[in-house]
Each structure stands twice: as structure tokens, then as C-alpha cells.
Amino acid sequence: MAKFLIKGGRALEGEIKINGSKNAALPVLASSILFSALGGPASGWKNIIEIENLPNIEDTKRMKELLDKLDADGKIDYEIAKKFRASILPVGGALARFGKVSFPHPGGCVIGERPIDVFLDGWKAMGAKTKLSENVPTDYVITAPEGLFGVDYTFKIPSVTGTEALIMTAVLARGTTILRNAVLEPEIKYLADFLNANGAKIAGAGTTTIKIEGRSGELLKYSARFTAPPDRIEAGSFAILGALLGKNLRIKNFVAEELPTFLALLSNVGAEYIIENKDLIFINSYKKTLRASNVITKEFPGFPTDLQAPFTVLLTQADGQSLVHETVFEGRLNYIQDLNKMGSRITLCDPHRAIIYGPAKLFGRTMESPDIRAGLAFIIAALIAEGESTIENIYQIDRGYENIDYRLCSIGADIKRV
Ligand code: EPU
């Protein structure tokens, strides 16, 4: 099993570019199921769409494998689906297209219970019937014997992939669907704009009410490619590195409008940065004293839960007492015990809240990456620590960040993949 050996304490300088967004690319890949093949609607829909700037990461590879194995029987590959949460994304399209779909409870990051009730409620409202497998109660079979029809549906919990999945289902349904209490994450608008460019009629993406004119089963015809935008979570993670270790560090492709609350908090802790067009620049942040600050994770435009772990690492270097309140997931602070073994002083109050006392000197240790974002947080912790750290289970990190070791080494980090 590959691992990272990381030597800490070095300044980061030069240029680093933000790669294509995982969470924007995954729904667009999954939407390929809504398209007819160039030669007709038979079964040749696979690989029909073109994506530029697609990140070469484990999760996009898994999505492609999943779609390659999917056929008109609507069976989602169970082994692959259990490797990532986004495996739920093609389910609605497969149901609308083939009239039936079977899949396991999706796997992915262990950051909370992560039920799929809002998806199931949505498909049921559109006319589908769900059966749980008798042998494995977490395996689902959903059928739509009468086809799917447009509905007026309100999300009881705002869900990112829930909103994406129901948009895709509604595109092939009969009649108009209205989705209320939809999330505002930029990835929703990227998906809707791509589908609209290829003939769908989706209005209101980027607001809480989205209206989709269904096509009664008529597949989309591919004409316009998708360019994956820069990954806003990678952007925020690099900005945290810049605030801790940057010396003339330039982060290229930074879309500030997609990280408003994050940037407000970065200023609040005293990080100094310059935004020049699409570059975020840290002139001399290396070992600069930062101030404590409180963070509450929220849906967009709030502080992203996916940046909570990296920002907690930053707060270990801030002077004073900070509170981190994770409101989106109930299991996303588990990495803290490992940070404390490195020397941080963090009290876990309950599964949602942690108090950080800083600044604390961190020392290199061996850790196992529990999920994509905590894994990146461990890389940041190792880069600011004294001595050498080992990070195991780096498959989790490779799921979301392309060649992260190579790219961080290019700005002065000391990371070896062994
Ligand atoms: N929820 C339910 N029932 C559902 C669906 C969600 O109770 O049927 C709850 C979740 O348990 C959670 C909350 O609703 O407490 C919000 O979860 P959401 O559904 O929005 O999360 P997601 O769609 O599963 C996406 C990203 C995550 C990111 C969250 C929140 C993708 C592929 N995943 O997950 O990204 O943390 O939105 O922004 O887009 C990551 O990239 O590392 C990652 C975990």
C-alpha cells in the first residue's frame, strides 16, 4: 500500500495551478446516461460526452468504470458503487432511461451516516417504487412501471448530490418538475448549464427553486462539451497552505467568488493575500502569527464542510481559542485525535464541535488518511510539523487530488510516495 513520507518546515514558493473540480465533473460524467449515442438511442451512450480539464483522480476513474459496466438492465456495479458516494449520481438517470435500477447503499467518505432518503423520496414522488433486497437490506431495486412524471418536490434537507440526481431524473420525466429548497452550490449551475447547452430546459439553478421541463423519455443529443472549472476545495486547501507556508507563492485559477466565506475567515485570522485576476498570492506568510477565529460550516455560500479539516489545521497555528462547529456532517471531526497526537491542543466537545487552543507546535507522526479532506489536512499538518510524518491509506487522498505529491513538491514541499 502506497504511503507518503513528508518532511515538514519548508517554505512554499513558486506557482501552483488548481486542477479541474471533482464535484463538478462527477455529476456531468453521470449525466452521460441522459444522452443518445451519435448513431441512435440504442445502447451506445457510453463515452459520448467530452470533458475538458477532467481531473485524473480515483473518483473520476471509478465513475467511468461504473458507467462502462452499466447496461439496459439498470444494474449499478456493487463493488465499484461501494467505493464512492457519487455512485448514486447515475441512479436517477438510469431509472428514467431503463425503467429500473438496482444499486447498493453508496460508499465513500466515512464522515457521518449519509442516508439517501431525500433521493428515494424524490423518485417515489415521481412515480417510482423502491424495494429493499431481502438478503441485503442496504441494496435497493427501484422500478418505474408507469414511467416517471414531473412533480413539485421540496427537499426536507438541502442536499448537493440529491439536487443533482433529481435534476437529471427530471430531465427525462414526463411534465414539469419543480425542486424547492435546492442547494446553491456552484456545481449545480455547472451541471444545469451543461445540460441546457445540450438541449435540456432547466431554469433557476443557483437559486433554491429549480424548474425542469421533462422530455418524456426523449434523450439529449450531445453537442456541447463541458470544461471542468477549477476545484474550489483544492483552491481553499492551497490557500491554507499559502497562509501557513507561502513565500512568494502564486495559486493560479483561483475563483474567489466560489469561496466567499472561506476568504472572509482567512482574512479574519490575519492571513495576508492578494487577488490578481485569477491568481491568489501570498508574499510572506511563512511562519507568520495568525489570530484565532470561530468557524461554522454551512451550505453555499457558507464555509464549506470540505475545508473544515484543513482549516482546523490552520487554526492550530493561530494565537488564542477557536471554535469549529461542523453542522453538515456528524462524523467529520474524527481526525482530531491524530492531530492531537502531533501536538495540537484540541478538545472535542461533541461530534459537531471542537475547541482549538493555539498556537501549538506540531511534530511528525504516522497517520492513516480517513477520508479525502482529512487526508489533505494531514498533509498540511505534516508540512508545518517538525520532523518526518508518514501518511498511510493515501488512496483516499488520490480519490480527490491529482498527483498531489508531485504538484506540492514543485513548490518546495518534501513529499515522497513510497
Ligand atoms: N442527507 C440526508 N439524506 C439524504 C442526503 C443527505 O440526511 O438523502 C444529509 C447528509 O447526511 C448531510 C447533509 O444532508 O448531513 C448534506 O449532505 P449532502 O447530500 O449535501 O452531501 P453529498 O451530496 O453526499 C456532496 C459532496 C461532498 C460534500 C457535501 C456537502 C459530492 C460528490 N460530494 O456530498 O463532498 O461534503 O456535498 O457540501 O459532490 C468530498 O468531496 O470530499 C465530499 C465529501
Side-chain angles (χ1 to χ4, degrees):
M1 290 275 263
K3 52 189 170 186
F4 286 146
L5 301 183
I6 303 179
K7 285 201 184 107
R10 298 173 66 159
L12 301 180
E13 37 195 329
E15 276 186 16
I16 188 162
K17 181 176 133 289
I18 298 156
N19 281 6
S21 162
K22 165 175 94 73
N23 290 346
L26 287 170
V28 168
L29 275 169
S31 79
S32 63
I33 205 165
L34 309 176
F35 287 81
S36 66
L38 290 174
S43 64
W45 54 273
K46 292 163 191 176
N47 303 318
I48 189 94
I49 62 176
E50 290 171 289
I51 302 184
E52 261 181 46
N53 202 29
L54 178 71
N56 187 14
I57 50 177
E58 294 302 328
D59 272 19
T60 54
K61 290 182 203 160
R62 293 300 86 72
M63 181 63 92
K64 285 195 269 182
E65 288 165 12
L66 189 87
L67 293 166
D68 277 345
K69 287 200 164 176
L70 181 58
D71 274 316
D73 61 1
K75 190 170 185 318
I76 304 268
D77 187 279
Y78 281 39
E79 284 308 306
I80 303 173
K82 284 186 170 292
K83 292 196 171 132
F84 68 131
R85 170 83 179 177
S87 63
I88 187 107
L89 284 169
V91 168
L95 174 67
R97 179 165 183 162
F98 306 126
K100 61 179 174 186
V101 62
S102 55
F103 61 102
H105 193 88
C109 295
V110 187
I111 52 181
E113 197 193 339
R114 306 191 87 181
I116 59 164
D117 49 333
V118 306
F119 301 75
L120 298 176
D121 290 352
W123 291 321
K124 185 174 170 203
M126 296 173 106
K129 296 198 172 14
T130 302
K131 249 185 29 202
L132 289 176
S133 147
E134 277 164 21
N135 306 328
V136 189
T138 50
D139 289 353
Y140 305 86
V141 179
I142 310 186
T143 50
E146 313 293 327
L148 294 168
F149 44 84
V151 284
D152 190 328
Y153 180 74
T154 302
F155 288 97
K156 63 183 178 201
I157 296 168
S159 164
V160 178
T161 46
T163 303
E164 292 161 351
L166 292 191
I167 288 176
M168 289 190 263
T169 317
V171 164
L172 293 189
R174 222 165 43 234
T176 302
T177 295
I178 297 176
L179 300 176
R180 301 183 195 272
N181 197 20
V183 295
L184 309 180
E185 263 67 3
E187 291 75 21
I188 305 295
K189 189 152 172 7
Y190 287 122
L191 173 67
D193 286 350
F194 168 70
L195 294 175
N196 284 343
N198 285 287
K201 291 209 171 101
I202 303 163
T207 74
T208 54
T209 306
I210 302 176
K211 190 171 165 193
I212 305 117
E213 310 270 347
R215 298 168 59 87
S216 304
E218 191 195 333
L219 298 167
L220 295 171
K221 288 193 179 48
Y222 176 72
S223 60
R225 69 174 62 171
F226 180 68
T227 301
D231 191 304
R232 63 193 175 97
I233 304 304
E234 183 169 288
S237 307
F238 288 176
I240 289 168
L241 273 171
L244 290 165
L245 295 170
K247 230 180 182 181
N248 287 324
L249 178 70
R250 184 177 282 260
I251 301 169
K252 299 194 76 71
N253 277 357
F254 193 94
V255 184
E257 307 82 68
E258 294 189 354
L259 288 168
T261 311
F262 169 81
L263 283 176
L265 271 158
L266 203 60
S267 299
N268 202 45
V269 298
E272 283 172 12
Y273 55 84
I274 301 164
I275 297 181
E276 214 177 78
N277 298 321
K278 292 261 178 282
D279 291 356
L280 184 75
I281 303 158
F282 293 87
I283 304 285
N284 201 0
S285 302
Y286 183 63
K287 294 196 172 164
K288 184 175 178 287
T289 308
L290 300 168
R291 290 188 297 270
S293 186
N294 296 341
V295 180
I296 302 178
T297 65
K298 281 264 180 231
E299 298 83 30
F300 192 83
F303 188 95
T305 170
D306 290 344
L307 285 171
Q308 177 261 109
F311 206 81
T312 298
V313 174
L314 176 111
L315 291 174
T316 66
Q317 304 309 300
D319 190 22
Q321 185 178 317
S322 303
L323 170 74
V324 168
H325 190 168
E326 168 60 59
T327 68
V328 181
F329 292 106
E330 68 282 4
R332 219 173 194 184
L333 294 175
N334 297 338
Y335 65 91
I336 279 174
Q337 52 196 19
D338 280 300
L339 276 191
N340 279 346
K341 287 183 193 153
M342 293 181 82
S344 67
R345 287 174 287 128
I346 307 178
T347 305
L348 196 55
C349 312
D350 60 44
H352 286 281
R353 289 174 309 150
I355 296 174
I356 299 128
Y357 304 91
K361 195 165 174 50
L362 302 188
F363 298 92
R365 275 193 63 94
T366 296
M367 293 161 282
E368 193 171 314
S369 173
D371 63 74
I372 305 178
R373 309 306 177 185
L376 204 273
F378 285 166
I379 293 184
I380 298 174
L383 288 173
I384 58 176
E386 188 177 306
E388 187 169 290
S389 298
T390 303
I391 302 183
E392 295 172 341
N393 195 23
I394 58 173
Y395 174 80
Q396 289 299 330
I397 300 173
D398 291 335
R399 284 183 52 204
Y401 303 92
E402 183 176 334
N403 281 332
I404 192 70
D405 44 334
Y406 175 81
R407 292 161 67 212
L408 291 179
C409 286
S410 77
I411 51 168
D414 186 336
I415 307 181
K416 284 194 186 65
R417 183 184 287 258
V418 292

